[in-house]
Structure formats: C-alpha cells, structure tokens
Amino acid sequence: LLPFGHQLEWLATRTTRDKKPDTTVLLDDRLLGTPVFAINRSSELVADMARTVKDSISDAIDIINDYSDAAAQRILSSEDTTDKYEDVLGTFLVKLTSRHLSVDETRAATRILHGIGDLERISDHSVNLLEAAQEMHEKHIKFTDDAQAELNVLKRAIREIVATATSAYIDENAAKAKLVEPLEAVVDDMIRELKLRHVERLRSGRCSVEHGFVFSDILTNLERIADHCSNLAICIIELKQDEYNAHEYLRRATGMSEFTEMYRAAGDRFRLPAVKAS
C-alpha cells in the first residue's frame, strides 16, 4: 500500500479525470488530513463552479431574445450544480479552517469561502432572467427597437464583466480584477439611463406597463450580476494586499487616476445609442 500522504495525492489526481465530477466524492473528509491537497481540490472545484456560472449567464443573456427549452434546461441544470458546489465547498472548508493551516492555505480558503456565495447568487440571477424570458415567450412580449438596441449594449457589458471577474477569480489575477470595478460603475450608469429612457417611453405610450415590468426586472437582475462580479474582484484584490475591507478599497479606487482612465475606456466601449427624436 502507498503511504497515507501518497494515497491522498493519488485520490486528488484520480478525481480530476471527469469533466463534471461528483463533488460529494471529490471532497472526501480524508483530504482534510493534508491541507495542501484539500486546498488544491477545493480550488479546482470552485474554478469549475465559476466556469459553470459564466456559461449559465451566457445562456441567460441569449435566452432573453431567443428562447429555447434546451437553453432553459441548461440554466436550471447549472443552478442545481452551483447549489451543490456551494453546499459541499462551504461545509468542507469550514471543517478545513478549524485545522492548523499555513498563511497561504488560510488565504486560499478565505478566497474560496468569499467567492462561493457570490457565484451562487449570480447563478440565481440567471434563473431569474430565465423566468423573465419565459414570461416574454409565453405572452409574446417584444421590446421596442430602441429598448432592444439599448439592452443589447448592456448585455455585452454584462458578458464582459462576468468573463473578466470569473477569470480574475479563478486565476487570482489582481491586475485583471482591477478592470471589474470601473466596468461595474459603467453598468450602473447605463442602467440608470435605461430606466430614465424606459419611463419616457411609458409616458409617450410607446411601451406598455406589462412590457415595462419585464424590462425593469431584467435590468435589476443584470445590475445585481454586476454587483456580485465586483465582490469577486474585490476579494482577489484585497487578499493580494493581505486585507479584506471592500468599502475601503472602493473608497480609494474611485479616487485613483487609473480607475478614472479604465472607467472612461469602458464607457467608450459600451456607449448607448443616441435617443431618437420623437
């Protein structure tokens, strides 16, 4: 028989073979005896969780205008998988952090624990977007051309912020994480403007109240997705600086010239179409 430590290494290696592994098997409590293997396995699982969430958001954005039962099923399946990841990882890491861990192991466990909640919430919002898409599909709701053009710009920004935040989180890349907060600020600006334009369309009779409820629901969920992406990015930045104070980071960041430059660049990339004269 292999020594116990080698048995754990063999187990950790063996369980990486399946693309969509059974997390309840992968995070066997025997890994707790060797924290380095436990952290490595947990990091692999949270990376898979992040990729699952990213794909689910992509489906959710697509399904708003192109509903399909296949995409709906993928979103629901991803939500189920994400919930399992959060439950298994959370339970396992609480046990692990009660052990004697090195500074690096503690930092890694903290990153995962902070991230799984935001990833799970992003997945929840993909399901909320699916529900909005189902309502549009069943009631034959279509947005005005202006509203659709504006929403398309916002959806592009959401794709980018989710891709950037999840990549930064998986790779623990602080430089990439710093790109997220300026983009999140641009998303907030766009959503405020879209809400104002939506009210004007309601007043002029170009949009119905029923259409407006769905449009508002979509905007709210896209805004929340960006918020959770910001949390993921801040987690990486603060842990790299050996602290975790999101409010202090945001206070400092918004006053930096680097932030301002990135904010302006993101605003240029995601400029809303001009309002047409009525």
Side-chain angles (χ1 to χ4, degrees):
L1 292 174
L2 292 172
F4 184 62
H6 287 82
Q7 291 179 37
L8 290 175
E9 184 174 10
W10 175 87
L11 175 62
T13 303
R14 175 120 179 163
T15 53
T16 63
R17 293 180 181 176
D18 296 330
K19 185 176 180 182
K20 288 291 182 183
D22 182 347
T23 55
T24 59
V25 173
L26 286 177
L27 286 177
D28 192 302
D29 280 358
R30 287 175 293 179
L31 289 172
L32 295 169
T34 309
V36 64
F37 294 141
I39 290 295
N40 287 344
R41 190 73 226 122
S42 298
S43 294
E44 291 173 356
L45 290 181
V46 80
D48 192 51
M49 181 182 184
R51 286 187 287 266
T52 298
V53 167
K54 175 179 172 290
D55 291 344
S56 183
I57 289 298
S58 181
D59 275 332
I61 288 174
D62 288 340
I63 206 171
I64 292 172
N65 298 113
D66 187 19
Y67 183 84
S68 75
D69 289 335
Q73 186 54 52
R74 286 197 302 271
I75 292 168
L76 294 174
S77 178
S78 293
E79 165 66 3
D80 183 57
T81 298
T82 301
D83 284 345
K84 289 178 181 177
Y85 277 134
E86 183 193 28
D87 181 51
V88 172
L89 280 165
T91 301
F92 183 79
L93 287 168
V94 167
K95 295 177 184 177
L96 181 63
T97 52
S98 69
R99 308 291 181 103
H100 179 71
L101 303 179
S102 69
V103 172
D104 286 343
E105 290 164 350
T106 299
R107 184 182 292 111
T110 300
R111 176 184 72 87
I112 298 169
L113 281 169
H114 277 298
I116 56 177
D118 284 299
L119 289 169
E120 195 277 331
R121 289 299 296 136
I122 293 172
S123 181
D124 285 345
H125 290 299
S126 71
V127 174
N128 293 346
L129 290 172
L130 165 61
E131 291 172 351
Q134 287 174 325
E135 181 177 356
M136 292 176 65
H137 178 68
E138 291 168 2
K139 296 181 179 179
H140 305 288
I141 293 174
K142 290 183 184 271
F143 298 137
T144 65
D145 290 343
D146 289 349
Q148 188 58 62
E150 295 161 1
L151 189 58
N152 286 342
V153 178
L154 177 59
K155 290 193 294 185
R156 285 198 298 110
I158 295 299
R159 287 186 194 276
E160 181 171 313
I161 199 171
V162 171
T164 304
T166 53
S167 177
Y169 181 78
I170 291 169
D171 297 337
E172 301 181 52
N173 187 323
K176 187 177 291 185
K178 288 180 180 179
L179 300 172
V180 172
E181 194 58 34
L183 181 53
E184 193 271 339
V186 169
V187 167
D188 284 347
D189 290 346
M190 281 196 287
I191 288 175
R192 280 193 293 270
E193 177 62 21
L194 263 59
K195 287 179 178 179
L196 290 174
R197 295 186 183 189
H198 165 63
V199 169
E200 182 55 36
R201 282 191 289 268
L202 279 173
R203 287 175 177 170
S204 65
R206 288 178 291 152
C207 178
S208 71
V209 173
E210 185 175 41
H211 286 61
F213 281 136
V214 177
F215 190 72
S216 179
D217 190 38
I218 290 171
L219 292 184
T220 297
N221 280 284
L222 294 177
E223 183 176 23
R224 296 292 181 267
I225 289 167
D227 290 342
H228 288 292
C229 286
S230 173
N231 291 344
L232 289 175
I234 291 171
C235 169
I236 296 302
I237 294 167
E238 294 295 335
L239 287 175
K240 290 294 182 180
Q241 297 174 354
D242 292 323
E243 59 181 70
Y244 194 85
N245 188 333
H247 294 295
E248 177 61 20
Y249 167 74
L250 290 175
R251 185 189 67 77
R252 294 196 310 264
T254 53
M256 296 177 182
S257 60
E258 181 186 25
F259 176 93
T260 301
E261 291 173 6
M262 291 188 290
Y263 168 76
R264 288 174 178 168
D268 288 340
R269 287 199 310 280
F270 300 106
R271 193 176 297 278
L272 291 171
V275 178
K276 296 179 182 178
S278 53

